[in-house]
Amino acid sequence: MEEILVEALSNNGNDVENSTVKKALTQRLNYDECLRLLLDVGAQIEALRENGIGILSVTKSDILQLSQNGFMINPNILSFKCDDNGQLRIDKPFQKEKGMAPELEKIETLPTTVSYTVAYFSLKQLALDLLDIQSLSQLEPTKMFYLLERCARDNPKDRTFMLI
């Protein structure tokens, strides 16, 4: 999994070869740093899907900050198999967290399947936490606002990771 994440970061313009992991995120980020994080994490979520892997959500504790200003999903994050249609097969228990996609809140029995876009939904809460703000509307009308608005749609089929 780590190879997939590193390759996604390299393809996203990060100098991963000359980077060292700093540590898990603990501090607040500014707008530009948070946007960089979202772009890095979004690229990694997509790369994982392309390799048959998916994650349910991303929280601050799931992100490693690299010395070259990049951000990597912790390779030890809970992951699930993802089919060619982007469906995750959830076959093991997981902890429900603030900011998770609504369909995850409704799961009562395993195994079940959900769209890999559940991870995109969690990016809204991640950004709010990292920017130390209470509402997405505080970012309006920035590019990040519209990116997160598309990621946090209730219908999994309507969720997209697209920065315009």
Short mmCIF file of all heavy atoms in Angstrom, two decimals, residues 82-144:
data_model
loop_
_atom_site.label_atom_id
_atom_site.label_comp_id
_atom_site.label_asym_id
_atom_site.label_seq_id
_atom_site.Cartn_x
_atom_site.Cartn_y
_atom_site.Cartn_z
N CYS A 82 -11.56 -3.07 -2.98
CA CYS A 82 -12.42 -2.23 -3.82
C CYS A 82 -12.52 -2.90 -5.19
O CYS A 82 -11.50 -3.25 -5.79
CB CYS A 82 -11.80 -0.84 -3.94
SG CYS A 82 -12.79 0.35 -4.86
N ASP A 83 -13.74 -3.10 -5.68
CA ASP A 83 -13.89 -3.75 -6.99
C ASP A 83 -13.76 -2.74 -8.13
O ASP A 83 -13.58 -1.54 -7.91
CB ASP A 83 -15.21 -4.54 -7.06
CG ASP A 83 -16.46 -3.68 -7.05
OD1 ASP A 83 -16.40 -2.47 -7.37
OD2 ASP A 83 -17.54 -4.23 -6.74
N ASP A 84 -13.86 -3.22 -9.34
CA ASP A 84 -13.69 -2.37 -10.52
C ASP A 84 -14.76 -1.29 -10.65
O ASP A 84 -14.57 -0.31 -11.37
CB ASP A 84 -13.68 -3.22 -11.80
CG ASP A 84 -12.45 -4.11 -11.90
OD1 ASP A 84 -11.44 -3.79 -11.23
OD2 ASP A 84 -12.49 -5.11 -12.63
N ASN A 85 -15.87 -1.48 -9.96
CA ASN A 85 -16.96 -0.49 -9.99
C ASN A 85 -16.85 0.53 -8.86
O ASN A 85 -17.74 1.34 -8.66
CB ASN A 85 -18.32 -1.19 -9.91
CG ASN A 85 -18.56 -2.05 -11.12
OD1 ASN A 85 -18.26 -1.66 -12.25
ND2 ASN A 85 -19.09 -3.24 -10.91
N GLY A 86 -15.77 0.45 -8.08
CA GLY A 86 -15.57 1.40 -6.99
C GLY A 86 -16.34 1.07 -5.73
O GLY A 86 -16.55 1.94 -4.88
N GLN A 87 -16.73 -0.18 -5.57
CA GLN A 87 -17.48 -0.59 -4.38
C GLN A 87 -16.53 -1.24 -3.38
O GLN A 87 -15.80 -2.17 -3.70
CB GLN A 87 -18.59 -1.58 -4.74
CG GLN A 87 -19.69 -0.96 -5.58
CD GLN A 87 -20.42 0.14 -4.83
OE1 GLN A 87 -20.96 -0.07 -3.75
NE2 GLN A 87 -20.42 1.32 -5.41
N LEU A 88 -16.54 -0.72 -2.15
CA LEU A 88 -15.74 -1.29 -1.06
C LEU A 88 -16.54 -2.38 -0.38
O LEU A 88 -17.71 -2.19 -0.05
CB LEU A 88 -15.41 -0.22 -0.02
CG LEU A 88 -14.65 1.01 -0.44
CD1 LEU A 88 -14.41 1.90 0.77
CD2 LEU A 88 -13.36 0.65 -1.09
N ARG A 89 -15.90 -3.49 -0.12
CA ARG A 89 -16.54 -4.56 0.64
C ARG A 89 -16.07 -4.43 2.08
O ARG A 89 -14.93 -4.73 2.42
CB ARG A 89 -16.17 -5.93 0.09
CG ARG A 89 -16.79 -7.06 0.88
CD ARG A 89 -16.48 -8.42 0.26
NE ARG A 89 -16.78 -9.51 1.15
CZ ARG A 89 -17.98 -10.02 1.37
NH1 ARG A 89 -19.01 -9.51 0.76
NH2 ARG A 89 -18.16 -11.03 2.20
N ILE A 90 -16.98 -3.96 2.92
CA ILE A 90 -16.67 -3.81 4.34
C ILE A 90 -16.99 -5.13 5.01
O ILE A 90 -18.14 -5.53 5.12
CB ILE A 90 -17.49 -2.66 4.98
CG1 ILE A 90 -17.22 -1.36 4.23
CG2 ILE A 90 -17.15 -2.53 6.45
CD1 ILE A 90 -18.05 -0.20 4.71
N ASP A 91 -15.93 -5.81 5.42
CA ASP A 91 -16.09 -7.15 6.00
C ASP A 91 -15.46 -7.27 7.39
O ASP A 91 -15.30 -8.37 7.90
CB ASP A 91 -15.52 -8.20 5.06
CG ASP A 91 -14.07 -7.93 4.70
OD1 ASP A 91 -13.49 -6.93 5.20
OD2 ASP A 91 -13.51 -8.70 3.91
N LYS A 92 -15.08 -6.11 7.95
CA LYS A 92 -14.53 -6.11 9.31
C LYS A 92 -15.02 -4.86 10.02
O LYS A 92 -15.33 -3.85 9.39
CB LYS A 92 -13.00 -6.20 9.29
CG LYS A 92 -12.33 -5.18 8.43
CD LYS A 92 -10.85 -5.51 8.23
CE LYS A 92 -10.30 -4.67 7.09
NZ LYS A 92 -9.08 -5.16 6.54
N PRO A 93 -15.11 -4.93 11.33
CA PRO A 93 -15.62 -3.77 12.09
C PRO A 93 -14.73 -2.54 11.92
O PRO A 93 -13.53 -2.64 11.68
CB PRO A 93 -15.57 -4.25 13.54
CG PRO A 93 -15.45 -5.73 13.48
CD PRO A 93 -14.77 -6.06 12.19
N PHE A 94 -15.35 -1.40 12.04
CA PHE A 94 -14.63 -0.13 11.97
C PHE A 94 -15.24 0.82 12.99
O PHE A 94 -16.37 0.65 13.41
CB PHE A 94 -14.70 0.48 10.56
CG PHE A 94 -16.09 0.84 10.11
CD1 PHE A 94 -16.59 2.12 10.31
CD2 PHE A 94 -16.92 -0.11 9.51
CE1 PHE A 94 -17.87 2.45 9.90
CE2 PHE A 94 -18.20 0.21 9.10
CZ PHE A 94 -18.68 1.49 9.29
N GLN A 95 -14.45 1.81 13.37
CA GLN A 95 -14.93 2.79 14.35
C GLN A 95 -15.59 3.95 13.61
O GLN A 95 -15.00 4.53 12.70
CB GLN A 95 -13.74 3.31 15.17
CG GLN A 95 -14.16 4.25 16.27
CD GLN A 95 -12.98 4.63 17.16
OE1 GLN A 95 -11.96 3.95 17.18
NE2 GLN A 95 -13.14 5.71 17.89
N LYS A 96 -16.80 4.28 14.02
CA LYS A 96 -17.50 5.41 13.42
C LYS A 96 -16.94 6.70 14.00
O LYS A 96 -16.74 6.82 15.20
CB LYS A 96 -19.00 5.30 13.65
CG LYS A 96 -19.59 4.10 12.92
CD LYS A 96 -21.07 3.96 13.11
CE LYS A 96 -21.56 2.72 12.38
NZ LYS A 96 -22.97 2.47 12.56
N GLU A 97 -16.64 7.65 13.11
CA GLU A 97 -16.01 8.91 13.50
C GLU A 97 -16.83 10.10 13.03
O GLU A 97 -17.61 9.99 12.07
CB GLU A 97 -14.61 9.01 12.86
CG GLU A 97 -13.75 7.80 13.08
CD GLU A 97 -12.52 8.09 13.89
OE1 GLU A 97 -12.23 9.26 14.12
OE2 GLU A 97 -11.87 7.12 14.30
N LYS A 98 -16.63 11.22 13.66
CA LYS A 98 -17.27 12.47 13.25
C LYS A 98 -16.86 12.79 11.82
O LYS A 98 -15.69 12.67 11.46
CB LYS A 98 -16.82 13.59 14.19
CG LYS A 98 -17.38 14.94 13.86
CD LYS A 98 -16.86 15.97 14.83
CE LYS A 98 -17.32 17.36 14.44
NZ LYS A 98 -16.68 18.37 15.29
N GLY A 99 -17.83 13.16 11.00
CA GLY A 99 -17.53 13.57 9.64
C GLY A 99 -17.54 12.45 8.61
O GLY A 99 -17.24 12.67 7.45
N MET A 100 -17.88 11.24 9.05
CA MET A 100 -17.96 10.13 8.10
C MET A 100 -19.19 10.26 7.22
O MET A 100 -20.17 10.91 7.59
CB MET A 100 -18.02 8.79 8.82
CG MET A 100 -16.71 8.29 9.34
SD MET A 100 -16.91 6.63 10.03
CE MET A 100 -15.34 5.93 9.63
N ALA A 101 -19.16 9.62 6.08
CA ALA A 101 -20.28 9.64 5.14
C ALA A 101 -21.54 9.07 5.80
O ALA A 101 -21.46 8.14 6.60
CB ALA A 101 -19.93 8.83 3.90
N PRO A 102 -22.70 9.64 5.45
CA PRO A 102 -23.95 9.21 6.09
C PRO A 102 -24.26 7.73 5.92
O PRO A 102 -24.82 7.11 6.83
CB PRO A 102 -25.03 10.07 5.42
CG PRO A 102 -24.37 10.88 4.39
CD PRO A 102 -22.90 10.70 4.47
N GLU A 103 -23.87 7.13 4.80
CA GLU A 103 -24.18 5.71 4.61
C GLU A 103 -23.40 4.83 5.57
O GLU A 103 -23.83 3.72 5.89
CB GLU A 103 -23.97 5.28 3.15
CG GLU A 103 -22.58 5.46 2.61
CD GLU A 103 -22.34 6.79 1.93
OE1 GLU A 103 -22.94 7.81 2.35
OE2 GLU A 103 -21.52 6.83 1.01
N LEU A 104 -22.26 5.30 6.07
CA LEU A 104 -21.50 4.51 7.04
C LEU A 104 -22.19 4.51 8.40
O LEU A 104 -22.09 3.53 9.14
CB LEU A 104 -20.08 5.06 7.17
CG LEU A 104 -19.20 4.91 5.94
CD1 LEU A 104 -17.86 5.62 6.15
CD2 LEU A 104 -18.98 3.44 5.59
N GLU A 105 -22.86 5.59 8.71
CA GLU A 105 -23.58 5.69 9.98
C GLU A 105 -24.73 4.67 10.05
O GLU A 105 -25.14 4.26 11.12
CB GLU A 105 -24.14 7.10 10.17
CG GLU A 105 -23.08 8.17 10.29
CD GLU A 105 -22.26 8.06 11.56
OE1 GLU A 105 -22.79 7.61 12.59
OE2 GLU A 105 -21.07 8.41 11.49
N LYS A 106 -25.25 4.28 8.89
CA LYS A 106 -26.42 3.41 8.84
C LYS A 106 -26.08 1.91 8.84
O LYS A 106 -26.97 1.08 8.93
CB LYS A 106 -27.24 3.73 7.59
CG LYS A 106 -27.78 5.15 7.59
CD LYS A 106 -28.47 5.48 6.29
CE LYS A 106 -28.89 6.95 6.27
NZ LYS A 106 -29.43 7.34 4.98
N ILE A 107 -24.81 1.57 8.73
CA ILE A 107 -24.42 0.16 8.66
C ILE A 107 -24.66 -0.51 10.01
O ILE A 107 -24.21 -0.05 11.04
CB ILE A 107 -22.93 0.03 8.25
CG1 ILE A 107 -22.75 0.51 6.82
CG2 ILE A 107 -22.47 -1.43 8.40
CD1 ILE A 107 -21.31 0.54 6.36
N GLU A 108 -25.38 -1.63 9.94
CA GLU A 108 -25.67 -2.39 11.16
C GLU A 108 -25.15 -3.81 11.09
O GLU A 108 -24.98 -4.45 12.12
CB GLU A 108 -27.17 -2.38 11.43
CG GLU A 108 -27.69 -0.99 11.77
CD GLU A 108 -29.17 -0.97 12.09
OE1 GLU A 108 -29.78 -2.06 12.21
OE2 GLU A 108 -29.71 0.13 12.21
N THR A 109 -24.95 -4.33 9.86
CA THR A 109 -24.45 -5.70 9.72
C THR A 109 -23.33 -5.74 8.68
O THR A 109 -23.29 -4.92 7.76
CB THR A 109 -25.57 -6.67 9.28
OG1 THR A 109 -26.10 -6.22 8.02
CG2 THR A 109 -26.68 -6.74 10.29
N LEU A 110 -22.45 -6.71 8.87
CA LEU A 110 -21.35 -6.93 7.93
C LEU A 110 -21.48 -8.34 7.37
O LEU A 110 -21.98 -9.22 8.05
CB LEU A 110 -20.01 -6.78 8.65
CG LEU A 110 -19.71 -5.41 9.24
CD1 LEU A 110 -18.39 -5.45 9.99
CD2 LEU A 110 -19.71 -4.32 8.19
N PRO A 111 -21.02 -8.59 6.18
CA PRO A 111 -20.40 -7.66 5.25
C PRO A 111 -21.44 -6.80 4.53
O PRO A 111 -22.62 -7.15 4.47
CB PRO A 111 -19.68 -8.57 4.27
CG PRO A 111 -20.48 -9.83 4.26
CD PRO A 111 -21.05 -9.97 5.64
N THR A 112 -20.96 -5.69 4.01
CA THR A 112 -21.79 -4.79 3.21
C THR A 112 -20.87 -4.07 2.22
O THR A 112 -19.65 -4.18 2.31
CB THR A 112 -22.55 -3.79 4.11
OG1 THR A 112 -23.51 -3.10 3.33
CG2 THR A 112 -21.62 -2.80 4.77
N THR A 113 -21.46 -3.35 1.29
CA THR A 113 -20.66 -2.60 0.33
C THR A 113 -21.09 -1.14 0.33
O THR A 113 -22.25 -0.82 0.56
CB THR A 113 -20.79 -3.16 -1.11
OG1 THR A 113 -22.15 -3.12 -1.50
CG2 THR A 113 -20.24 -4.57 -1.20
N VAL A 114 -20.11 -0.27 0.06
CA VAL A 114 -20.35 1.16 -0.09
C VAL A 114 -19.41 1.67 -1.19
O VAL A 114 -18.42 1.02 -1.52
CB VAL A 114 -20.08 1.96 1.21
CG1 VAL A 114 -21.05 1.56 2.31
CG2 VAL A 114 -18.65 1.81 1.67
N SER A 115 -19.72 2.82 -1.72
CA SER A 115 -18.86 3.43 -2.74
C SER A 115 -17.56 3.92 -2.11
O SER A 115 -17.54 4.40 -0.98
CB SER A 115 -19.59 4.60 -3.39
OG SER A 115 -18.70 5.31 -4.24
N TYR A 116 -16.48 3.85 -2.87
CA TYR A 116 -15.18 4.35 -2.39
C TYR A 116 -15.23 5.86 -2.12
O TYR A 116 -14.36 6.39 -1.43
CB TYR A 116 -14.06 4.02 -3.39
CG TYR A 116 -13.96 4.98 -4.55
CD1 TYR A 116 -13.00 5.99 -4.54
CD2 TYR A 116 -14.81 4.90 -5.65
CE1 TYR A 116 -12.90 6.89 -5.60
CE2 TYR A 116 -14.72 5.78 -6.69
CZ TYR A 116 -13.76 6.78 -6.68
OH TYR A 116 -13.67 7.67 -7.71
N THR A 117 -16.26 6.54 -2.61
CA THR A 117 -16.38 7.99 -2.39
C THR A 117 -16.67 8.34 -0.93
O THR A 117 -16.66 9.52 -0.58
CB THR A 117 -17.45 8.61 -3.30
OG1 THR A 117 -18.73 8.04 -2.99
CG2 THR A 117 -17.11 8.41 -4.77
N VAL A 118 -16.88 7.33 -0.08
CA VAL A 118 -17.07 7.62 1.34
C VAL A 118 -15.84 8.36 1.89
O VAL A 118 -15.97 9.21 2.76
CB VAL A 118 -17.34 6.34 2.19
CG1 VAL A 118 -18.68 5.73 1.85
CG2 VAL A 118 -16.22 5.34 2.08
N ALA A 119 -14.67 8.04 1.37
CA ALA A 119 -13.44 8.71 1.84
C ALA A 119 -13.46 10.19 1.46
O ALA A 119 -13.01 11.03 2.23
CB ALA A 119 -12.21 8.02 1.25
N TYR A 120 -13.98 10.52 0.28
CA TYR A 120 -14.06 11.93 -0.13
C TYR A 120 -14.94 12.73 0.82
O TYR A 120 -14.66 13.87 1.12
CB TYR A 120 -14.59 12.06 -1.56
CG TYR A 120 -13.63 11.62 -2.62
CD1 TYR A 120 -14.09 11.04 -3.79
CD2 TYR A 120 -12.25 11.77 -2.47
CE1 TYR A 120 -13.21 10.64 -4.78
CE2 TYR A 120 -11.38 11.36 -3.45
CZ TYR A 120 -11.86 10.80 -4.61
OH TYR A 120 -10.98 10.40 -5.58
N PHE A 121 -16.03 12.11 1.27
CA PHE A 121 -16.95 12.80 2.17
C PHE A 121 -16.22 13.30 3.42
O PHE A 121 -16.48 14.40 3.91
CB PHE A 121 -18.11 11.87 2.57
CG PHE A 121 -19.22 12.58 3.28
CD1 PHE A 121 -20.30 13.08 2.58
CD2 PHE A 121 -19.18 12.77 4.66
CE1 PHE A 121 -21.33 13.75 3.23
CE2 PHE A 121 -20.20 13.44 5.32
CZ PHE A 121 -21.28 13.94 4.60
N SER A 122 -15.30 12.51 3.93
CA SER A 122 -14.60 12.87 5.17
C SER A 122 -13.64 14.04 5.01
O SER A 122 -13.20 14.62 6.01
CB SER A 122 -13.85 11.66 5.72
OG SER A 122 -12.76 11.31 4.89
N LEU A 123 -13.31 14.43 3.79
CA LEU A 123 -12.37 15.52 3.57
C LEU A 123 -12.91 16.86 4.07
O LEU A 123 -12.14 17.73 4.49
CB LEU A 123 -11.99 15.62 2.10
CG LEU A 123 -11.25 14.42 1.54
CD1 LEU A 123 -10.91 14.64 0.07
CD2 LEU A 123 -10.02 14.08 2.35
N LYS A 124 -14.22 17.01 4.07
CA LYS A 124 -14.82 18.25 4.58
C LYS A 124 -14.49 18.43 6.06
O LYS A 124 -13.98 19.49 6.46
CB LYS A 124 -16.34 18.24 4.38
CG LYS A 124 -17.05 19.42 5.01
CD LYS A 124 -18.55 19.28 4.88
CE LYS A 124 -19.27 20.28 5.75
NZ LYS A 124 -20.72 20.06 5.74
N GLN A 125 -14.74 17.40 6.87
CA GLN A 125 -14.46 17.50 8.30
C GLN A 125 -12.96 17.65 8.55
O GLN A 125 -12.54 18.40 9.42
CB GLN A 125 -15.00 16.29 9.05
CG GLN A 125 -14.88 16.39 10.55
CD GLN A 125 -15.68 17.57 11.10
OE1 GLN A 125 -16.86 17.72 10.81
NE2 GLN A 125 -15.04 18.41 11.90
N LEU A 126 -12.16 16.95 7.76
CA LEU A 126 -10.71 17.06 7.89
C LEU A 126 -10.26 18.50 7.67
O LEU A 126 -9.49 19.05 8.47
CB LEU A 126 -10.01 16.13 6.88
CG LEU A 126 -8.49 16.21 6.82
CD1 LEU A 126 -7.86 15.79 8.14
CD2 LEU A 126 -7.97 15.35 5.67
N ALA A 127 -10.75 19.14 6.61
CA ALA A 127 -10.37 20.53 6.33
C ALA A 127 -10.85 21.47 7.43
O ALA A 127 -10.11 22.36 7.85
CB ALA A 127 -10.92 20.96 4.98
N LEU A 128 -12.08 21.29 7.90
CA LEU A 128 -12.60 22.14 8.97
C LEU A 128 -11.71 22.02 10.21
O LEU A 128 -11.38 23.03 10.84
CB LEU A 128 -14.04 21.76 9.33
CG LEU A 128 -15.10 22.01 8.25
CD1 LEU A 128 -16.46 21.50 8.73
CD2 LEU A 128 -15.18 23.47 7.87
N ASP A 129 -11.29 20.80 10.54
CA ASP A 129 -10.43 20.58 11.70
C ASP A 129 -9.06 21.23 11.51
O ASP A 129 -8.53 21.87 12.41
CB ASP A 129 -10.25 19.09 11.98
CG ASP A 129 -11.52 18.42 12.47
OD1 ASP A 129 -12.46 19.13 12.89
OD2 ASP A 129 -11.58 17.17 12.43
N LEU A 130 -8.48 21.06 10.33
CA LEU A 130 -7.14 21.58 10.08
C LEU A 130 -7.10 23.10 9.98
O LEU A 130 -6.10 23.72 10.32
CB LEU A 130 -6.56 20.96 8.80
CG LEU A 130 -6.25 19.48 8.90
CD1 LEU A 130 -5.88 18.92 7.53
CD2 LEU A 130 -5.14 19.22 9.90
N LEU A 131 -8.18 23.69 9.50
CA LEU A 131 -8.25 25.16 9.39
C LEU A 131 -8.80 25.79 10.65
O LEU A 131 -8.81 27.02 10.78
CB LEU A 131 -9.11 25.55 8.18
CG LEU A 131 -8.54 25.17 6.81
CD1 LEU A 131 -9.60 25.35 5.73
CD2 LEU A 131 -7.29 25.98 6.51
N ASP A 132 -9.28 24.96 11.57
CA ASP A 132 -9.88 25.41 12.82
C ASP A 132 -11.05 26.37 12.58
O ASP A 132 -11.10 27.47 13.13
CB ASP A 132 -8.83 26.05 13.73
CG ASP A 132 -9.33 26.20 15.16
OD1 ASP A 132 -10.20 25.42 15.57
OD2 ASP A 132 -8.85 27.11 15.85
N ILE A 133 -11.96 25.92 11.70
CA ILE A 133 -13.17 26.68 11.43
C ILE A 133 -14.38 25.79 11.68
O ILE A 133 -14.26 24.56 11.74
CB ILE A 133 -13.20 27.26 9.99
CG1 ILE A 133 -13.11 26.14 8.94
CG2 ILE A 133 -12.07 28.28 9.80
CD1 ILE A 133 -13.23 26.63 7.51
N GLN A 134 -15.54 26.41 11.84
CA GLN A 134 -16.73 25.66 12.23
C GLN A 134 -17.62 25.25 11.06
O GLN A 134 -18.36 24.29 11.16
CB GLN A 134 -17.57 26.51 13.20
CG GLN A 134 -16.83 26.88 14.46
CD GLN A 134 -16.30 25.66 15.20
OE1 GLN A 134 -17.02 24.71 15.43
NE2 GLN A 134 -15.03 25.69 15.57
N SER A 135 -17.54 25.98 9.96
CA SER A 135 -18.49 25.75 8.87
C SER A 135 -17.81 25.90 7.52
O SER A 135 -16.95 26.77 7.33
CB SER A 135 -19.64 26.75 8.99
OG SER A 135 -20.42 26.75 7.83
N LEU A 136 -18.23 25.09 6.58
CA LEU A 136 -17.72 25.18 5.22
C LEU A 136 -18.02 26.54 4.61
O LEU A 136 -17.23 27.07 3.83
CB LEU A 136 -18.34 24.06 4.37
CG LEU A 136 -17.80 23.88 2.97
CD1 LEU A 136 -16.31 23.62 2.97
CD2 LEU A 136 -18.54 22.75 2.27
N SER A 137 -19.12 27.16 5.00
CA SER A 137 -19.49 28.46 4.45
C SER A 137 -18.44 29.54 4.74
O SER A 137 -18.36 30.54 4.03
CB SER A 137 -20.86 28.91 4.96
OG SER A 137 -20.81 29.09 6.36
N GLN A 138 -17.59 29.31 5.74
CA GLN A 138 -16.53 30.27 6.05
C GLN A 138 -15.47 30.30 4.95
O GLN A 138 -14.67 31.23 4.90
CB GLN A 138 -15.88 29.93 7.41
CG GLN A 138 -16.81 30.18 8.58
CD GLN A 138 -16.17 29.75 9.88
OE1 GLN A 138 -16.42 28.65 10.36
NE2 GLN A 138 -15.34 30.60 10.45
N LEU A 139 -15.47 29.31 4.09
CA LEU A 139 -14.51 29.25 2.98
C LEU A 139 -15.08 29.81 1.68
O LEU A 139 -14.35 29.95 0.70
CB LEU A 139 -14.05 27.81 2.74
CG LEU A 139 -13.21 27.18 3.83
CD1 LEU A 139 -13.02 25.70 3.57
CD2 LEU A 139 -11.86 27.90 3.92
N GLU A 140 -16.37 30.07 1.66
CA GLU A 140 -17.01 30.53 0.43
C GLU A 140 -16.50 31.91 0.05
O GLU A 140 -16.33 32.75 0.92
CB GLU A 140 -18.53 30.55 0.62
CG GLU A 140 -19.28 30.67 -0.67
CD GLU A 140 -20.78 30.46 -0.50
OE1 GLU A 140 -21.27 30.41 0.63
OE2 GLU A 140 -21.45 30.34 -1.52
N PRO A 141 -16.17 32.19 -1.16
CA PRO A 141 -16.31 31.45 -2.42
C PRO A 141 -14.97 30.93 -2.95
O PRO A 141 -14.67 31.08 -4.13
CB PRO A 141 -16.88 32.50 -3.34
CG PRO A 141 -16.13 33.76 -2.95
CD PRO A 141 -15.89 33.61 -1.45
N THR A 142 -14.16 30.28 -2.14
CA THR A 142 -12.85 29.82 -2.57
C THR A 142 -12.94 28.52 -3.37
O THR A 142 -13.96 27.82 -3.35
CB THR A 142 -11.94 29.56 -1.36
OG1 THR A 142 -12.50 28.49 -0.59
CG2 THR A 142 -11.79 30.81 -0.50
N LYS A 143 -11.85 28.16 -4.02
CA LYS A 143 -11.79 26.90 -4.75
C LYS A 143 -11.96 25.72 -3.79
O LYS A 143 -12.59 24.72 -4.13
CB LYS A 143 -10.46 26.78 -5.50
CG LYS A 143 -10.37 27.72 -6.67
CD LYS A 143 -9.07 27.52 -7.43
CE LYS A 143 -9.05 28.42 -8.64
NZ LYS A 143 -8.01 28.05 -9.59
N MET A 144 -11.39 25.86 -2.60
CA MET A 144 -11.51 24.78 -1.62
C MET A 144 -12.98 24.58 -1.22
O MET A 144 -13.42 23.44 -1.06
CB MET A 144 -10.67 25.06 -0.37
CG MET A 144 -10.62 23.89 0.59
SD MET A 144 -9.80 24.21 2.18
CE MET A 144 -8.20 24.79 1.69
#
